[in-house]
Amino acid sequence: MSASLSAASFAAALPAAHEAAASQHYPQGALYVVATPIGNLADITLRALHVLALVDAVACEDTRHTQQLLRAYGMDRPAAQLLALHQHNEAQASAAVIERLRLGQRIAYVSDAGTPAISDPGARLVAAVREQGLRVLPLPGASSVTTALSAAGLSEGGFVFEGFLPVKATERVHAVEALARETRAVVLLEAPHRIEVLAQALAVLGERPVTVARELTKQFEEIATVPAGQLPAWLDQAPQRQRGEFVLVLHAAPLAADAGADLRVLRLLLAELPLKTAVKLAAEITGTARNSLYEAALAIKQQA
């Protein structure tokens, strides 16, 4: 969708936002942390539109991306009112934002998509602003984390947000072993060029369900729940399944507290014995189902 077509589609949104939100109080010298859509532009809130038009400047992860987003809603800010603040300059840029706040300016902060300071930059900015005794006002909205959770069908037990697992293979193996012991659901994020590696790493968890959410809120959105051991095969079934941004919800398992120890036993046995023998002994030692251990053993061998 081009910026001009987007602006035409949202022509009525900005006046409606002002009418709905203008009567509220928006203090000066405050940082407004604004959630933006994760894909579908219609997922912006009326209050977010009003604030993005009201503030003196917008600090953002990518100025070009944010300029396109603002233009889609009928706003066109001068380049001087867009302040780059990303993971590589967060400390320095935060100091500049704080100086503006001390002058009484209203500053909004947006990441490229979703709610800032969750897995995107912004947390250091918020902490620095609070340390200076200045106000931080969050504007809730779209989040890939809560969007995926709402479609995963979790009924109890809570969840943990883990984000991106380590890139290095050894660290990733240890991280998965820790996840196996986690008794709550775990939310993971991954980029398309690493999704196959993550799928192989999670495959050792066997029958534990994983909800895969790809391209959330976009035209080719896809959400499916599969056993962790079958995740690599699911990705290979269609080329498009390895495209787009991913959120994965690793469901809680009844034996999750012992799963990490089970995997360690299995790894030790596999280092000395043939696969079938190692699986048989691991099942006898741990009491875990042999089929689940067999799938985990295949995934461990494939990683090796």
Side-chain angles (χ1 to χ4, degrees), residues 67-189:
Q67 185 69 280
Q68 291 178 350
L69 181 70
L70 294 175
R71 286 173 178 166
Y73 298 120
M75 290 178 269
D76 194 353
R77 284 187 171 274
Q81 293 181 6
L82 296 177
L83 315 175
L85 191 150
H86 45 74
Q87 62 178 344
H88 302 296
N89 76 340
E90 196 163 357
Q92 180 180 358
S94 295
V97 169
I98 288 170
E99 286 304 311
R100 286 175 174 258
L101 295 177
R102 285 175 173 158
L103 294 173
Q105 293 187 13
R106 300 181 182 95
I107 307 293
Y109 178 72
V110 299
S111 60
D112 284 348
T115 302
I118 303 301
S119 63
D120 297 327
R124 291 180 182 176
L125 169 64
V126 170
V129 170
R130 288 199 176 281
E131 285 174 2
Q132 296 300 315
L134 298 166
R135 292 192 65 175
V136 177
L137 286 79
L139 274 67
S143 166
S144 62
V145 175
T146 53
T147 302
L149 283 167
S150 70
L154 306 178
S155 57
E156 57 185 17
F159 70 92
V160 178
F161 175 65
E162 185 69 23
F164 292 91
L165 291 188
V167 175
K168 293 183 178 180
T170 302
E171 294 177 2
R172 188 168 56 246
V173 167
H174 293 323
V176 172
E177 289 179 350
L179 294 183
R181 299 190 296 271
E182 176 56 63
T183 57
R184 295 162 292 183
V186 182
V187 181
L188 303 170
L189 304 177

Side-chain angles (χ1 to χ4, degrees), residues 7-304:
S9 300
F10 291 96
L14 201 54
H18 295 327
E19 183 176 353
S23 62
Q24 300 173 24
H25 179 54
Y26 300 94
Q28 294 180 315
L31 176 69
Y32 294 81
V33 183
V34 183
T36 55
I38 59 176
N40 192 317
L41 291 180
D43 290 336
I44 193 76
T45 70
L46 293 178
R47 194 155 69 108
L49 287 176
H50 177 72
V51 166
L52 289 173
L54 173 71
V55 294
D56 298 288
V58 179
C60 50
E61 193 174 357
D62 184 325
T63 56
R64 291 172 298 180
H65 175 86
T66 299
Q67 185 69 280
Q68 291 178 350
L69 181 70
L70 294 175
R71 286 173 178 166
Y73 298 120
M75 290 178 269
D76 194 353
R77 284 187 171 274
Q81 293 181 6
L82 296 177
L83 315 175
L85 191 150
H86 45 74
Q87 62 178 344
H88 302 296
N89 76 340
E90 196 163 357
Q92 180 180 358
S94 295
V97 169
I98 288 170
E99 286 304 311
R100 286 175 174 258
L101 295 177
R102 285 175 173 158
L103 294 173
Q105 293 187 13
R106 300 181 182 95
I107 307 293
Y109 178 72
V110 299
S111 60
D112 284 348
T115 302
I118 303 301
S119 63
D120 297 327
R124 291 180 182 176
L125 169 64
V126 170
V129 170
R130 288 199 176 281
E131 285 174 2
Q132 296 300 315
L134 298 166
R135 292 192 65 175
V136 177
L137 286 79
L139 274 67
S143 166
S144 62
V145 175
T146 53
T147 302
L149 283 167
S150 70
L154 306 178
S155 57
E156 57 185 17
F159 70 92
V160 178
F161 175 65
E162 185 69 23
F164 292 91
L165 291 188
V167 175
K168 293 183 178 180
T170 302
E171 294 177 2
R172 188 168 56 246
V173 167
H174 293 323
V176 172
E177 289 179 350
L179 294 183
R181 299 190 296 271
E182 176 56 63
T183 57
R184 295 162 292 183
V186 182
V187 181
L188 303 170
L189 304 177
E190 195 51 274
H193 64 281
R194 288 199 302 265
I195 189 61
E196 285 186 284
V197 174
L198 177 61
Q200 292 293 342
L202 295 178
V204 301
L205 300 178
E207 293 298 316
R208 190 164 174 180
V210 178
T211 295
V212 188
R214 185 180 67 84
E215 292 289 85
L216 282 171
T217 77
K218 300 177 184 177
Q219 182 178 358
F220 300 107
E221 174 184 273
E222 186 172 14
I223 303 172
T225 300
V226 298
Q230 298 177 23
L231 186 55
W234 183 85
L235 288 173
D236 289 339
Q237 286 176 1
Q240 71 271 16
R241 286 183 175 172
Q242 297 181 26
R243 300 171 186 163
E245 300 298 321
F246 290 82
V247 184
L248 297 90
V249 180
L250 178 64
H251 292 226
L255 299 178
D258 299 321
D262 296 351
L263 287 176
R264 287 195 296 276
V265 169
L266 182 59
R267 287 182 187 279
L268 290 171
L269 292 172
L270 284 172
E272 305 294 337
L273 300 170
L275 188 144
K276 289 185 178 179
T277 304
V279 168
K280 179 176 181 296
L281 289 175
E284 292 176 359
I285 293 169
T286 65
T288 301
R290 189 175 298 186
N291 288 344
S292 178
L293 288 170
Y294 185 77
E295 287 184 1
L298 291 177
I300 290 171
K301 287 289 188 181
Q302 187 167 0
Q303 288 181 37

